[in-house]
Amino acid sequence: MKKWIVSISAIALIAVMTACGAKPEAAPAPSGQSAPASGGAGQQVKLVATNYQFDQKEYKVKKGEDVTFTLENKAGLHGVAINGLNVELKGDKLSATVKPDKAGTYDIICSIPCGSGHISMKSKLIVE
């Protein structure tokens, strides 16, 4: 019995530590980074995640305008949380639209444990 518990624990630990090497099942999100969409329909921010980093250290958007955030997992399996804006992208939900009404800097973090570099997988959202 003890042998089975140790084996299952080891398998679970290996699965968590290798999550960054997993292939995402969802299709990539539409492109665009901090650029206004055509027709003034809002801003599009594409967050591209690879092993332990996002494609940009910071993203900038305008206060009071709709912003659609999309997540593309280029390498590994990641999620995104933007603290203070109620944005959570992971699993089947890889896109969300919000209207930031307060200027400031918000933390963007990986919300899925993805291995040894997970704790440092961060970026910033600057709302101007």
Side-chain angles (χ1 to χ4, degrees):
M1 178 74 168
K2 192 174 186 180
K3 192 177 196 181
W4 281 102
I5 293 173
V6 171
S7 296
I8 291 171
S9 297
I11 291 169
L13 180 61
I14 290 169
V16 168
M17 295 301 290
T18 61
C20 277
K23 293 283 185 194
E25 292 181 20
S31 63
Q33 296 176 344
S34 303
S38 59
Q43 302 168 84
Q44 303 290 318
V45 175
K46 182 177 174 183
L47 304 157
V48 179
T50 59
N51 289 332
Y52 315 127
Q53 66 183 5
F54 294 105
D55 62 322
Q56 296 183 36
K57 293 289 182 196
E58 62 183 40
Y59 302 85
K60 293 183 180 182
V61 297
K62 296 200 181 297
K63 176 181 97 166
E65 294 183 15
D66 284 338
V67 181
T68 300
F69 295 96
T70 56
L71 171 62
E72 179 181 345
N73 284 307
K74 278 256 190 200
L77 183 59
H78 306 281
V80 166
I82 303 177
N83 299 329
L85 289 182
N86 198 27
V87 172
E88 181 78 25
L89 307 176
K90 64 181 176 182
D92 292 340
K93 185 181 178 201
L94 298 178
S95 181
T97 301
V98 296
K99 186 181 287 192
D101 59 357
K102 183 178 174 188
T105 302
Y106 299 84
D107 291 326
I108 301 172
I109 61 169
C110 179
S111 61
I112 296 176
C114 59
S116 61
H118 170 73
I119 195 78
S120 63
M121 189 168 174
K122 299 176 183 177
S123 189
K124 296 283 183 189
L125 174 68
I126 299 170
V127 178
E128 300 175 322

